């Protein structure tokens, strides 16, 4: 029997989560963000599942966009980091992509290309404003100048102003309010559609919805907040990661389990070995105590994660046996909870699964 490491992707859950994002701002449009292979869920499959409802998709780079277009996706695709080389402008035009613009180098390349009277290039540009995250974007005081330069270029068809929040998943902090105020000041008088909200912005900052939403992690059912949140609590997990028990043994009190002998049994413990490890993308730094589900019951990791295996405590699940399924996260166990045990965020867990984990799609 083949190794049973599986990631089951519920496409109906992704549709539900997209509709939930839309419901927060019915008058806005929502570009579904499917960068990093749709956060590990399969960009082509997710795009096809959402194609009837989504006005645009967002990806990080042109390679991701080309893959979608060549798979038959016809919606506009926004390059969230724009173009990396001026030579990409031909592909952006031929494939009908939209491009972010966030540096003078990009702006000068665009002006050079479009200043040629023979140029036929036409583009939709999303101008990124650095409202406080200080990662990408033009300084607020330069935005009006950049927009005016773009408006002088006949090949620029539409312009959207965008920004990105640094702390929208921490609603108690003042940073997001400061960013909103900064961005509103920049956008005032420019008469352009705007896009501010990532997933946390969609769910927790209704006055930042603008004309375009950019839901990402919420599409996959992961809660970006540290705790319960009214909208996040309605999300449906899209990925269920499972494998199977491949060995069971009793380990005596005082004996250790796994590399480093970091887990020492306090009594006779029934230990199960599961075919899942960091070679599959499960985090090596998951601590003993990280929860898993067996037969609908919670139990936990016992010892360090190995490359191909991990060990779990089956003492209180006497019926568990070789061949039984183990849920590592999913419908019964939120990925955000597992991420907390791993001192990370759900994004990293979802996007780091390797191709050893077989992906299966349900509810297309």
């Amino acid at each position: 029997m083949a190794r049973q490491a599986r990631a089951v992707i519920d496409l109906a859950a992704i549709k539900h989560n997209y509709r939930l994002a839309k419901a927060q701002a019915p008058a806005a449009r929502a570009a579904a963000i499917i960068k990093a292979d749709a956060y590990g869920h399969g960009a082509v499959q997710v795009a096809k599942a959402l194609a009837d409802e989504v006005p645009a998709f967002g990806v990080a780079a042109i390679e991701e966009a080309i893959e979608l277009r060549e798979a038959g996706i016809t919606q506009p695709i926004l390059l969230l980091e724009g173009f990396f080389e001026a030579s990409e402008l031909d592909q952006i035009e031929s494939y009908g992509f939209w491009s972010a613009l966030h540096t003078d180098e990009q702006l000068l390349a665009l002006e050079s290309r479009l200043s040629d009277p023979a140029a036929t290039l036409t583009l939709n540009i999303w101008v990124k404003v650095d409202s406080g995250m200080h990662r990408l974007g033009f300084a607020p005081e330069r935005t009006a100048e950049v927009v005016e330069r773009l408006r002088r270029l006949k090949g620029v068809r539409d312009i959207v102003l965008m920004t990105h929040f640094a702390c929208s998943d921490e609603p108690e902090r003042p940073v997001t309010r400061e960013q909103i105020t900064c961005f509103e000041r920049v956008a005032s008088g420019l008469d352009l559609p705007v896009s501010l909200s990532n997933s946390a912005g969609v769910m927790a900052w209704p006055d930042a919805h603008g004309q375009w939403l950019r839901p990402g992690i919420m599409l996959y059912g992961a809660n970006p907040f540290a705790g319960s949140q009214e909208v996040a609590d309605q999300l449906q997990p899209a990925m269920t990661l499972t494998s199977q028990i491949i060995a069971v043994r009793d380990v005596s009190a005082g004996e250790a389990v796994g590399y480093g002998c970091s887990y020492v049994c306090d009594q006779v413990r029934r230990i199960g070995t599961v075919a899942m490890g960091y070679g599959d993308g499960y985090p090596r730094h998951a601590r003993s105590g990280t929860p898993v589900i067996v037969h609908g019951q919670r139990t936990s990791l016992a010892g360090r994660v190995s490359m191909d295996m991990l060990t779990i405590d089956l003492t209180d699940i006497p019926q568990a046996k070789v061949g039984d399924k183990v849920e590592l996260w999913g419908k019964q166990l939120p990925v955000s909870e597992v991420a907390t045990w791993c001192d990370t965020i759900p994004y990293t867990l979802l996007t780091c699964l390797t191709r050893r984990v077989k992906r299966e799609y349900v509810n297309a």
Side-chain angles (χ1 to χ4, degrees):
M1 189 177 191
R3 194 165 184 269
Q4 294 299 302
R6 295 281 189 275
V8 178
I9 313 299
D10 186 345
L11 296 172
I14 295 174
K15 291 179 185 178
H16 164 86
N17 297 332
Y18 178 79
R19 292 166 187 163
L20 182 63
K22 277 285 299 170
Q24 307 314 303
R29 290 181 284 181
I33 305 305
I34 56 173
K35 61 183 179 178
D37 200 27
Y39 294 60
H41 292 70
V44 170
Q45 293 86 346
V46 170
K48 287 182 176 180
L50 291 175
D52 291 340
E53 303 183 39
V54 172
F57 292 101
V59 298
I62 198 165
E63 294 83 2
E64 295 177 328
I66 290 172
E67 178 189 24
L68 293 171
R69 193 63 90 226
E70 293 185 345
I73 301 303
T74 60
Q75 283 84 354
I77 302 171
L78 170 63
L79 307 178
L80 291 164
E81 296 175 29
F83 52 94
F84 294 89
E85 299 176 1
S87 60
E88 294 177 358
L89 288 170
D90 288 330
Q91 291 176 305
I92 289 172
E93 180 184 32
S94 63
Y95 283 105
F97 299 149
W98 296 351
S99 179
L101 189 82
H102 58 83
T103 67
D104 280 311
E105 289 80 5
Q106 290 174 329
L107 178 59
L108 289 169
L110 202 57
E111 288 177 324
S112 175
R113 178 65 178 273
L114 295 179
S115 62
D116 183 348
T120 59
L121 189 66
T122 56
L123 296 173
N124 285 41
I125 299 295
W126 288 45
V127 176
K128 192 155 197 177
V129 179
D130 180 7
S131 62
M133 189 167 182
H134 304 318
R135 189 178 64 178
L136 295 178
F138 293 99
E141 61 271 17
R142 290 204 51 219
T143 305
E145 169 215 335
V146 171
V147 169
E148 178 56 32
R149 287 167 66 175
L150 290 173
R151 282 173 165 163
R152 289 199 294 262
L153 300 174
K154 66 177 183 178
V156 175
R157 185 168 49 216
D158 293 308
I159 303 172
V160 176
L161 284 186
M162 68 184 299
T163 196
H164 193 65
F165 292 137
C167 300
S168 55
D169 55 347
E170 301 177 80
E172 70 283 357
R173 297 183 63 183
V175 178
T176 303
R177 175 57 53 203
E178 294 165 2
Q179 285 193 255
I180 293 171
T181 300
C182 173
F183 186 80
E184 288 177 341
R185 185 168 58 248
V186 169
S188 176
L190 291 178
D191 191 28
L192 291 172
V194 300
S195 176
L196 298 85
S197 291
N198 56 1
S199 290
V202 170
M203 293 187 279
W205 298 92
D207 57 343
H209 286 158
Q211 286 74 46
W212 279 96
L213 312 175
R214 304 192 310 274
I217 192 67
M218 71 178 296
L219 299 182
Y220 311 103
N223 179 2
F225 303 100
S228 177
Q229 197 271 346
E230 181 181 1
V231 181
D233 290 347
Q234 301 174 55
L235 295 171
Q236 296 179 3
M239 178 192 290
T240 299
L241 177 65
T242 65
S243 192
Q244 66 178 171
I245 298 170
I246 60 172
V248 178
R249 72 193 63 246
D250 291 328
V251 180
S252 300
E255 291 293 313
V257 177
Y259 285 123
C261 298
S262 61
Y263 179 87
V264 179
C265 297
D266 58 349
Q267 62 181 64
V268 175
R269 290 280 174 188
R270 191 163 183 258
I271 300 297
T273 301
V274 181
M276 175 66 63
Y278 60 80
D280 302 288
Y282 191 88
R284 181 183 182 276
H285 48 283
R287 305 191 301 271
S288 290
T290 300
V292 300
I293 304 291
V294 180
H295 285 290
Q297 295 179 236
R298 281 183 172 239
T299 185
S300 59
L301 267 59
R304 291 183 185 172
V305 176
S306 304
M307 178 179 284
D308 311 303
M309 293 168 280
L310 54 81
T311 43
I312 61 175
D313 183 4
L314 296 175
T315 308
D316 296 328
I317 312 176
Q319 71 274 31
K321 63 186 185 302
V322 170
D324 284 353
K325 182 182 292 188
V326 179
E327 181 176 314
L328 288 308
W329 64 67
K331 299 293 186 183
Q332 302 176 85
L333 178 62
V335 66
S336 54
E337 182 179 349
V338 178
T340 299
W341 278 91
C342 301
D343 297 317
T344 187
I345 55 177
Y347 301 71
T348 62
L349 301 190
L350 295 172
T351 59
C352 287
L353 295 181
T354 70
R355 58 187 177 184
R356 290 205 316 188
V357 178
K358 298 177 177 63
R359 286 161 178 78
E360 300 174 356
Y361 293 87
V362 297
N363 300 322

